[in-house]
Structure formats: structure tokens, C-alpha cells
Amino acid sequence: MPDDTLARLSALHHDGRVQHMIDLGRRSLHDARARAAIDSLDRGDAFARVMALWSCYGSRDGARVHRGTRDESSRVRALAFTLVPQACDDMQALDALQMAFAMRREKALILSMHAYGRHAALDRYLDWVAARPGVHDFADYVPLGTHAGVRRHLARALEKPSQTFWQRLARSAPDILGEILLERMRAVK
């Protein structure tokens, strides 16, 4: 089956391969043969592992995506990180965020998590990163969490707010921004 799948994929152009894998991912939710074909690709070379990851757009297989973030191939890792917000549960997403932080590539993943409404996972990440000293852009990401997360980390963010912090706070938590501004106006009187 894997050789058959690879032969079919090699006969297609890139967009066709991607669409085939997404469809195979959807079928894998209820078809054991489709799941076995993807599992077999996942054990292949970097090209095959990338193809297996494309299937996650159809299956939302968080475990496969999470494994992909630790792959030896940078192409596999890059695709896996783009899939994290869509496929991974909160704990898998937190692990991927921590790994991205260690690799200094967390910005794109944080913004993608926010775009997909993964605020609970972002709160856990903010809690984790808040314990690390010297994170110069910490304030920039505080407004991307839930309101409870923003409030939890607001004092530290206000120690060194940036223009990005204020813009994101205005967009994501305007009520909290209003409270800050009112408090500062009252302090001037």
C-alpha cells in the first residue's frame, strides 16, 4: 500500500498531492486502510513524512502533528508547526510552543494560535514563559490570551509595555485597556 500511495503521489503535481493527502486524511477517520497508508508514509523518508503530515489537514491528527514538530527534517518540522493550532490539543500545543520558544521561532506559532482562537493554550504558555527571566517581548503576547490570562500577567506586561502590547490590548481586550487608562487618569488628578 505505501508504494502504491507514493506511486500515485509522484504522478501528481504538488497541489494534487496535497489535495490527495487531505482527502486521505479525511478518509482515515473511518477507513483503516487509509490510516495504514498514512502510517506507512509517516515511517518513510522526509518527502513521505511531509505527505503524511498533509493528511492532518483532513484528519486533525494532533499526535502525528506533535511528533512532526520533533522530526529531524526541517521541512517536516516547519509544516508540523503550521498545523499545531488546528490539530493539537492544549497540552500538545503547549509543548510545541515551548519547543518553538527554545528554537526562537515562537512568534509565528503564537500569532497562529491566537488566529485560531487557541487562547487557553496561550494562557498556559504565558504562565510557563512568565517564570523565565529576561523574555524581552513577553508583554507583546500577553494581550493574546484570555481575559483571565491578560489580567494574571498585566502587572508584568505594564513594567515594559511596547507599542505592539498597546495595539494588541486595544484589539483583544479593550475593556482592560479602558480600565488601565481610567486608572492612570485618576492618578493624575
Side-chain angles (χ1 to χ4, degrees):
M1 181 79 162
D3 292 335
D4 186 39
T5 303
L6 280 174
R8 250 184 269 135
L9 290 172
S10 64
L12 299 171
H13 55 83
H14 175 74
D15 291 346
R17 285 191 293 265
V18 169
Q19 190 57 55
H20 178 80
M21 291 310 302
I22 292 170
D23 293 341
L24 192 62
R26 286 186 189 118
R27 285 197 319 266
S28 74
L29 296 172
H30 52 81
D31 180 353
R33 287 187 56 176
R35 203 168 28 258
I38 295 167
D39 289 344
S40 179
L41 287 171
D42 207 18
R43 292 186 297 271
D45 63 10
F47 171 78
R49 294 192 310 275
V50 166
M51 291 297 108
L53 271 178
W54 279 113
S55 75
C56 296
Y57 278 102
S59 67
R60 302 292 193 250
D61 184 346
R64 188 178 312 278
V65 169
H66 186 250
R67 277 192 314 274
T69 63
R70 298 177 181 279
D71 197 274
E72 62 191 38
S73 166
S74 62
R75 287 186 57 210
V76 173
R77 284 192 313 272
L79 179 56
F81 277 111
T82 64
L83 277 157
V84 166
Q86 299 170 58
C88 291
D89 64 29
D90 284 350
M91 292 310 295
Q92 292 166 335
L94 174 60
D95 186 62
L97 282 162
Q98 291 169 338
M99 190 178 335
F101 177 84
M103 296 171 8
R104 295 189 177 159
R105 58 180 292 182
E106 74 278 13
K107 181 179 179 178
L109 183 53
I110 290 169
L111 295 176
S112 184
M113 295 287 288
H114 177 69
Y116 277 94
R118 301 295 307 276
H119 305 292
L122 283 174
D123 277 357
R124 288 182 174 161
Y125 172 73
L126 289 171
D127 293 342
W128 176 81
V129 83
R132 273 124 196 93
V135 180
H136 70 281
D137 56 354
F138 176 75
D140 293 351
Y141 302 115
V142 169
L144 303 180
T146 63
H147 271 52
V150 171
R151 289 189 189 284
R152 200 165 44 250
H153 299 291
L154 189 59
R156 178 167 174 200
L158 289 172
E159 290 173 6
K160 194 175 176 185
S162 65
Q163 182 177 354
T164 300
F165 166 79
W166 293 115
Q167 290 170 341
R168 288 179 179 163
L169 191 64
R171 227 176 298 124
S172 300
D175 53 329
I176 296 174
L177 175 61
E179 292 170 14
I180 293 168
L181 295 176
L182 277 173
E183 184 180 308
R184 288 184 176 194
M185 285 176 50
R186 288 184 184 128
V188 171
K189 288 183 180 181

